[in-house]
Amino acid sequence: MAAELRRPRALIVPSGSELVRGDRLDRNGPYLAASLVRLGVDVAGIRLVGDGEEDLRRAIRDGLEFEILVVTGGLGPTHDDRTMALLAEAAGVPLELNPTLEGEIAAVSRAIAARLGRPYADFQEGVRKQATIPAGAEIVGLAGTAPSVALRTPRGVAVTLPGPPAEVLALWPKATETAAFRAALGSTVAPARSSFRFFGVSESAVAQALAAAGGEPEGIEVTICAREFEIHVDLLVSAHALEASAAFEQAFIEPIAEHLYGTGEASVEERVLDACGAAGWTLGTAESCTGGLVASRLTAIPGSSSAFVGSIVSYANEVKEHTLGVASSLLAERGAVSREVAEAMARGARTALACDVAIAITGIAGPGGGTPEKPVGTVFIHVQTPTRSEGISLGIMGSRDVVRARATTAALHLARRLVTEI
């Protein structure tokens, strides 16, 4: 049993001074970690390092103590792109110029030189640098002129990837198919995964449900993550625990099942769009305090244009009145932040956008603008469909960003409920 439970461990090292300075958020680490977990790998950590030579050297040496090391960044043609050299040094292998790789990088560089009207000689030294890799490394592929390689190590494998997230997305799947990476995985069996998505329940209530179910059983890892009014619960089930998982899931989920809005990875915005598509309905938004965040989340979904038609960001009262048709008398009597105005905004959006379903939000995001009657965090949401019309009010505690984000999530969930419970 112990041998079955043993999983390879990994360290992820995103490099780049812009990451440690906070100029740019690391998107590679979380993506790679999630991918490795799905493969059955135990991710020990994500270690951000800058471009400093000693910091990167230490991180790579530490990473080679694990079965899998993944380093992103530092693969360019300049002097501070040190990943290949430091990996070779730490692994105790020489650097070698790879002729095949040199030809591929040269072809890309010649095209760039021609486009820029510069001589190829300006690029030649950089080409040789990027084509010089640790001896014995497998070439994964190129992203532009940056090479990704997989190098066998005494404990397993080290993978280099470029820094831009789009390039990581393109090359990582290829890296996981290399012989070096597959050897590091060994006989690891990817765990089964179950995902549960909740809305309207606290993280502590989910934790209590877990405790009442007996806590984490052997072979089942439970991850509970709060995300702007939602709670995401993921179960990773080892092969030997598959038979016990069904009974555990039932005991765990049943006390909080009324808050379960779906299983699997689909987001609430995906579910709203799918439900509108299934009903043959189009969807639009009228947003004030959220400034288009609902529309942004909807349009981030590929294929959203099949249902989503557009949004009106009615920040000023004049826009609410002249574009959405909200009566000036209503605005004067009830105020722009009111249940009645939210309903009028939804009704006006259905007309102005010629859509079947409209989501409307108005509120006070702060930090100023609140009153004793309507403090910061007061939000009114209304959704109208061809068959239903319903509004809710919220009092959200937190910063401006928190108020806007949580109002967006709440609006999407009201829409989900109304379009799925026809």
Side-chain angles (χ1 to χ4, degrees):
M1 182 68 70
E4 183 182 2
L5 293 176
R6 178 68 173 89
R7 296 188 294 170
R9 304 187 73 219
L11 182 68
I12 301 166
V13 180
S15 70
S17 294
E18 70 280 6
L19 300 177
V20 297
R21 287 195 306 257
D23 296 337
R24 182 167 61 84
L25 293 177
D26 170 43
R27 291 163 52 194
N28 293 330
Y31 163 74
L32 293 167
S35 174
L36 286 165
V37 167
R38 286 193 292 270
L39 292 170
V41 177
D42 180 10
V43 178
I46 300 171
R47 183 167 166 181
L48 297 181
V49 296
D51 293 323
E53 183 173 352
E54 190 52 43
D55 292 333
L56 183 55
R57 174 183 284 114
R58 188 179 300 112
I60 289 175
R61 285 178 176 173
D62 291 347
L64 292 179
E65 295 299 314
F66 297 89
E67 285 82 4
I68 297 173
L69 165 65
V70 186
V71 184
T72 68
L75 302 180
T78 61
H79 72 284
D80 59 347
D81 291 308
R82 304 182 174 97
T83 296
M84 290 295 190
L86 293 179
L87 175 59
E89 174 191 299
V93 298
L95 284 168
E96 291 183 350
L97 178 65
N98 185 290
T100 301
L101 190 57
E102 183 181 21
E104 293 177 359
I105 297 174
V108 176
S109 298
R110 289 183 188 279
I112 295 172
R115 188 168 65 248
L116 297 177
R118 293 170 54 187
Y120 172 69
D122 291 353
F123 296 82
Q124 197 162 10
E125 183 177 346
V127 169
R128 291 182 62 84
K129 179 181 184 299
Q130 289 184 287
T132 301
I133 61 176
E138 289 182 66
I139 300 170
V140 174
L142 286 179
T145 63
S148 170
V149 304
L151 176 69
R152 288 181 186 261
T153 68
R155 289 185 177 271
V157 67
V159 176
T160 66
L161 293 166
E167 297 178 1
V168 171
L169 286 172
L171 290 173
W172 173 244
K174 299 178 182 178
T176 62
E177 293 302 319
T178 60
F181 189 89
R182 303 313 297 184
L185 281 183
S187 58
T188 300
V189 177
R193 182 171 182 169
S194 299
S195 298
F196 302 89
R197 301 294 181 254
F198 297 89
F199 176 73
V201 65
S202 68
E203 192 173 9
S204 60
V206 177
Q208 290 170 11
L210 174 60
E216 281 189 344
E218 182 184 352
I220 300 179
E221 293 183 22
V222 182
T223 301
I224 302 172
C225 181
R227 296 183 180 177
E228 304 300 354
F229 275 8
E230 293 187 356
I231 304 294
H232 294 186
V233 176
D234 294 318
L235 308 184
L236 292 179
V237 185
S238 299
H240 72 279
L242 287 174
E243 291 186 8
S245 65
F248 168 72
E249 285 182 14
Q250 182 176 358
F252 177 22
I253 301 302
E254 188 172 359
I256 50 177
E258 64 179 300
H259 303 287
L260 179 68
Y261 75 82
T263 58
E265 299 293 331
S267 64
V268 60
E269 49 266 38
E270 289 178 89
R271 296 172 196 273
V272 169
L273 290 166
D274 287 346
C276 285
W281 289 346
T282 54
L283 170 67
T285 69
E287 304 183 54
S288 185
C289 65
T290 49
L293 291 178
V294 177
S296 177
R297 283 181 58 170
L298 289 165
T299 55
I301 305 302
S304 58
S305 60
S306 62
F308 186 75
V309 298
S311 176
I312 297 170
V313 179
S314 53
Y315 217 63
N317 282 357
E318 291 79 8
V319 179
K320 293 180 178 71
E321 182 180 351
H322 299 302
T323 305
L324 294 175
V326 179
S328 58
S329 58
L330 182 62
L331 288 164
E333 179 183 351
R334 305 304 299 174
V337 179
S338 63
R339 186 185 305 273
E340 294 82 1
V341 167
E343 182 177 3
M345 289 170 61
R347 185 167 56 248
R350 288 188 70 203
T351 299
L353 296 171
C355 60
D356 300 301
V357 179
I359 303 171
I361 306 179
T362 181
I364 305 169
T371 67
E373 295 77 20
K374 296 177 183 178
V376 169
T378 300
V379 176
F380 294 94
I381 301 168
H382 203 97
V383 174
Q384 282 196 356
T385 78
T387 59
R388 302 181 66 179
S389 181
E390 187 174 324
I392 59 174
S393 61
L394 302 171
I396 303 172
M397 302 291 291
S399 67
R400 181 179 180 84
D401 287 344
V402 168
V403 171
R404 283 157 47 91
R406 292 188 173 183
T408 297
T409 299
L412 286 165
H413 276 285
L414 178 60
R416 172 192 56 79
R417 183 162 58 81
L418 267 59
V419 298
T420 56
E421 298 174 5
I422 301 172

